Amino acid sequence: MRRIPLLAAAAALLLGALTAPAAHSAPSAFVHPGVTVSRSQLDFARTEVLAGAQPWKAAYDQMTASKYADLNRTPKPRATVECGPYSNPDLGCTDEREDAIAAYTDALAWYITKDARYAQKAIQIMDAWSATITGHTNSNAPLQTGWAGSSWAKAAEIIRYTYTGTWANEARFATMLRTVYLPTVIKGSNSNGNWELTMMEAAVGISVFLEDRTSYDTAMAKFRTRTAAYVYLATDGSVPKTVPGQNLDTTAKIVSYWQGQSTFVTGLTQETCRDFTHTGYGISAISHVAETSRIQGQDLYGTDVGERLRQALGFQSKYQLGAAVPGWLCGGSLNLGLGPVTEVGYNALHNRLGIAMTNTQALTLDNRPAGTNNLFVAWETLTHGDNPS
């Protein structure tokens, strides 16, 4: 595996941070499958699993033993999915998210095994929802749309572009993504940053599947702005960057939005002092969009996005591993629980770019095989663990 010296990598990242454009434009021709995971990455994972190599075989076994790979699964679509705060009420929220993860799980199992039953199950699940759902409602609707939309796009990409059988209702599924999901997620959100990052992940993935260059550009521009406002770098100045339209025009307002944290250090995120679980959602979405962009031919890892991802992973990993929490950080107490979110960024930055990431590496290895958070992250040791493609 090719590596570049640490100093050269750091210099490249810094240069990217200084020269990166405000937005990335869509490729002239989209690469498929190309949402978070590429064909070459799938081929690598398949080869390693079939050879019984670790950690990929254990990751595959974990995935196929889960409820999401059950070929007897019955999808539970709803016309209107209603999700209140923290999914209360939960009228179809869990069903939708888990069916979407199941479709993605089955798509991965199809690719690894070439057992058509898995592809057909993924299609059955996607068809059930595309025949039924018309919208989302209540306060968590935007986030719910992002969570489910992210998994639907990944599943659909693999089935559409690798399954050798037929998918008669593919156009109907595309219409569902275009009319039920994309109009919501493309608007973004001024809530906590993990909302908009997850919504932009869904918007980017759906745009790739639909080959919608305009929506891809819109989503990527919002993603770049939100990422810069979510992870702090010392080069940002005395206070973090903000998103236009949020009216965070005083230090006091920014501190309040950053969960009361008034000392800003590189790698801190807007939700670090809320809890690591929601922080993990944001970090994961950043890594997913960066990976999709790389597959599509425009590498964000060499820009400030890569540097912010690297620093966020390292900062959170340090404390997730048990480092003492200083008094100036979140009042000296952290709510841990980062989740299975480090594989994609670690592989891109450490394995591909050769950047030392001691804490992130330790946490990643400790957590293998990384499973699913049952929301929108799933099986990333299998798809991205030490994957050179």
Side-chain angles (χ1 to χ4, degrees), residues 192 230-232 257-259 261 265-280 283 311-312 315-316 319 325 328-330 333-336 338:
N192 282 302
Y230 193 71
V231 182
Y232 177 78
Y257 186 59
W258 281 62
Q259 320 296 326
Q261 177 70 10
V265 296
T266 292
L268 184 78
T269 80
Q270 183 256 313
E271 295 185 273
T272 297
C273 293
R274 179 187 185 188
D275 59 62
F276 273 29
T277 300
H278 288 88
T279 298
I283 290 173
Q311 296 291 353
F315 187 87
Q316 267 62 221
Y319 294 106
V325 182
W328 57 262
L329 177 60
C330 309
S333 178
L334 294 170
N335 295 313
L336 302 178
L338 193 60

Side-chain angles (χ1 to χ4, degrees), residues 37-89:
V37 61
S38 67
R39 186 184 295 270
S40 61
Q41 289 173 317
L42 291 168
D43 285 340
F44 173 83
R46 181 172 192 265
T47 297
E48 298 304 313
V49 170
L50 295 182
Q54 300 298 354
W56 306 278
K57 180 60 165 61
Y60 174 77
D61 290 344
Q62 175 194 46
M63 180 183 80
T64 53
S66 75
K67 62 183 178 181
Y68 298 110
D70 183 0
L71 289 171
N72 294 313
R73 183 183 187 88
T74 300
K76 298 177 180 178
R78 281 176 176 259
T80 301
V81 175
E82 181 176 356
C83 306
Y86 295 92
S87 295
N88 182 22

Side-chain angles (χ1 to χ4, degrees), residues 26 30 32 35 153 157 177 182 185-186 200-220:
F30 286 100
H32 302 288
V35 177
E157 275 285 295
L177 293 181
L182 187 58
V185 294
I186 200 72
M200 290 311 107
E201 177 187 342
V204 167
I206 290 169
S207 296
V208 171
F209 182 73
L210 298 178
E211 297 199 324
D212 183 339
R213 299 184 78 251
T214 299
S215 294
Y216 185 96
D217 289 347
T218 298
M220 195 62 73

Side-chain angles (χ1 to χ4, degrees), residues 68 98-108 122 125-126 152 155 159:
Y68 298 110
E98 294 194 349
D99 276 349
I101 291 173
Y104 177 54
T105 300
D106 288 325
L108 290 174
I125 295 169
M126 291 189 286
W152 288 136
I159 296 300

Side-chain angles (χ1 to χ4, degrees), residues 268-335:
L268 184 78
T269 80
Q270 183 256 313
E271 295 185 273
T272 297
C273 293
R274 179 187 185 188
D275 59 62
F276 273 29
T277 300
H278 288 88
T279 298
Y281 301 164
I283 290 173
S284 183
I286 292 170
S287 71
H288 292 166
V289 176
E291 193 72 355
T292 296
S293 181
R294 184 190 69 87
I295 293 166
Q296 297 305 325
Q298 297 170 313
D299 198 337
L300 290 177
Y301 292 115
T303 72
D304 75 301
V305 171
E307 179 66 0
R308 292 179 196 277
L309 177 59
R310 177 176 80 92
Q311 296 291 353
L313 283 168
F315 187 87
Q316 267 62 221
S317 293
K318 173 183 176 180
Y319 294 106
Q320 185 66 43
L321 288 166
V325 182
W328 57 262
L329 177 60
C330 309
S333 178
L334 294 170
N335 295 313

